[in-house]
Amino acid sequence: MEFMFGIPSFVQFGCGVAKQTGEVAKQLGAKKVFFVYDKGVKAAGLTDVVLSSLKEAGLEVMEYDEVLPNPPDTIVEEAAQKAKAFQADVMVALGGGSSIDCAKAINILQTNPSPINQYDGLNLVKNPTKPLIAIPTTSGTASEVTAFSIVTDTTKKKKMVIGGQFVGATMALADPEMTMGMPPAITASTGMDALTHAIEAYVSKGAMVPTDLFALKAIELIYKNLEKATKTGQDLEARTNMLLGSMLAGYAFNSAVLGLVHSIAHPLSVHCGLPHGVANAIGLPFVMEFNGVAVPEKTKDIALAMGLDVADKSAEEAVTVAVEAVKSLSKKLEIPKLHDLDVPKDLFDRLAEDALKEISTMFNPRDVTKEDVLQILEKAY
Ligand SMILES: [Zn+2]
């Protein structure tokens, strides 16, 4: 047996840990903190907890609130200049994947030359980065614990996957209270993203014993709590389980990588502006169905982790049950279809071509042709 497994970030998990941001930053040697978030997080009133903690610790803070969804490289370059001029020594990121990924990319450019586009790939970031504290406000991307930053290359119109040992956050402050205010639609789509991470990591060609353990526990936690967290946002236990589940899914896919659902989701976001979680949720059941032929036993494990009644069923039957359960969950969560989102069918060809070029396609358990992707898109329409 041979494998390479890693988790880049230390994690402090629990209600109220976001209030310790200032202390943690100080321990990491901070005097000047560059604080990255988006306007939605500010509107939800989440920045105050972090800001007052940083101020109480006597730190000088520069705020950057221009983060956009599917963060474009142009924003990263602009923010990196500001952080450099400010001479920031620690980064703090508060938000969903976009804010944390953006902060990771800004942080890379503090100690590595611009432009960010030259680091698209694995281990291309050569110089160690400064400390970064990530505080998630969604239970989806798990960017707080992964060694990847996903930034949009606006020239090539593709999502870059920047990965490596210097990319991840130094410390994740995973505070379920910071996810309580998430609106139902965001809870649903980001949660489906997390479920996709766990499922894709489990069936990935890059899966290994440690990632399997994290993936199965993540599937259980997410499948059993996502509907509750979406419909009863104030349920702290469901919120806590979702944050934990998404984090464990992050541990899994950080080393096992992902698969075809993400390969299709990335071009959908780039060309049609679909939020990452929505794009994944739409494709998940159809890719599971497609992959089921190649990994029936593993799909049965997934069904068992979800708590479905498949113990006495054949692996092939369990695939059908698992796929139907994911479809029905999507329905309950009101996940739209591609036609609801006005994705034009004449774009399918380009989407399929781009999906084949994504790194995650190499890790998909079943070999994929353009025709296969077109069929999946057709079903998801
Ligand atoms: Zn994802």
Side-chain angles (χ1 to χ4, degrees):
M1 189 192 296
E2 270 182 46
F3 61 77
M4 162 107 141
F5 178 77
I7 301 166
S9 321
F10 280 85
V11 176
Q12 221 164 311
F13 189 101
C15 287
V17 295
K19 292 186 189 116
Q20 296 169 31
T21 313
E23 276 313 306
V24 173
K26 239 165 64 179
Q27 283 162 19
L28 292 170
K31 288 195 172 64
K32 292 178 155 203
V33 170
F34 195 72
F35 180 25
V36 179
Y37 57 87
D38 64 61
K39 294 197 168 72
V41 166
K42 170 94 176 173
L46 295 171
T47 47
D48 296 347
V49 176
V50 175
L51 206 53
S52 51
S53 167
L54 291 168
K55 296 261 164 78
E56 271 166 33
L59 302 171
E60 203 180 324
V61 181
M62 180 183 250
E63 293 174 70
Y64 183 81
D65 68 353
E66 303 290 322
V67 175
L68 295 172
N70 302 310
D73 48 7
T74 44
I75 294 271
V76 169
E77 298 290 341
E78 179 204 295
Q81 291 281 336
K82 289 189 177 168
K84 245 184 174 163
F86 175 62
Q87 293 180 311
D89 42 30
V90 166
M91 298 272 153
V92 172
L94 174 71
S98 300
S99 294
I100 300 175
D101 282 349
C102 201
K104 285 171 168 173
I106 296 166
N107 200 26
I108 289 168
L109 295 185
Q110 300 308 295
T111 51
N112 292 272
S114 191
I116 192 69
N117 306 45
Q118 63 189 297
Y119 306 111
D120 183 14
L122 278 182
N123 294 319
L124 298 175
V125 177
K126 298 297 176 201
N127 300 327
T129 43
K130 296 182 178 184
L132 191 163
I133 301 168
I135 309 159
T137 59
T138 63
S139 300
T141 66
S143 182
E144 69 276 12
V145 294
T146 67
F148 294 97
S149 165
I150 317 293
V151 174
T152 302
D153 184 325
T154 50
T155 316
K156 291 187 189 157
K157 291 203 182 311
K158 78 177 274 264
K159 279 206 169 188
M160 298 185 280
V161 179
I162 302 167
Q165 60 171 327
F166 301 132
V167 180
T170 319
M171 174 67 86
L173 296 177
D175 184 341
E177 284 174 2
M178 300 300 271
T179 70
M180 297 289 281
M182 225 191 321
I186 310 273
T187 305
S189 61
T190 53
M192 286 301 282
D193 180 31
L195 183 62
T196 308
H197 293 154
I199 290 176
E200 294 217 281
Y202 189 68
V203 300
S204 164
K205 280 183 180 159
M208 60 195 83
V209 176
T211 58
D212 284 352
L213 293 171
F214 287 121
L216 287 178
K217 187 67 190 173
I219 291 165
E220 180 193 327
L221 285 166
I222 298 163
Y223 184 74
K224 293 182 179 166
N225 289 279
L226 178 51
E227 194 186 347
K228 212 185 284 173
T230 302
K231 295 188 172 158
T232 335
Q234 291 308 305
D235 186 326
L236 183 61
E237 193 189 350
R239 291 290 196 188
T240 302
N241 285 334
M242 280 304 299
L243 187 59
L244 181 61
S246 72
M247 205 177 78
L248 299 184
Y251 289 170
F253 87 81
N254 186 58
S255 294
V257 196
L258 296 160
L260 185 58
V261 186
H262 273 76
S263 304
I264 298 174
H266 283 170
L268 272 171
S269 292
V270 172
H271 295 295
C272 314
L274 263 58
H276 178 69
V278 172
N280 276 314
I282 289 173
L284 178 62
F286 305 106
V287 173
M288 284 175 74
E289 199 170 37
F290 171 76
N291 284 339
V293 185
V295 281
E297 293 295 340
K298 284 207 130 185
T299 310
K300 182 171 177 177
D301 295 343
I302 290 169
L304 288 167
M306 288 160 82
L308 304 173
D309 183 18
V310 293
D312 299 329
K313 290 193 162 57
S314 71
E316 287 69 25
E317 287 168 329
V319 171
T320 311
V321 175
V323 169
E324 287 310 314
V326 171
K327 278 186 190 164
S328 132
L329 177 62
S330 280
K331 213 171 185 176
K332 285 186 214 153
L333 299 177
E334 297 176 27
I335 299 289
K337 304 271 283 181
L338 288 179
H339 79 261
D340 302 320
L341 298 162
D342 297 326
V343 172
K345 272 197 173 187
D346 56 12
L347 209 63
F348 279 12
D349 225 59
R350 174 73 196 269
L351 293 170
E353 275 165 19
D354 286 1
L356 294 183
K357 291 183 211 144
E358 291 281 325
I359 298 176
S360 43
T361 306
M362 292 190 322
F363 290 86
N364 194 67
R366 183 172 167 190
D367 288 342
V368 191
T369 64
K370 186 174 159 187
E371 196 47 46
D372 296 330
V373 182
L374 287 171
Q375 277 180 22
I376 289 166
L377 286 168
E378 203 60 53
K379 285 184 183 171
Y381 193 76

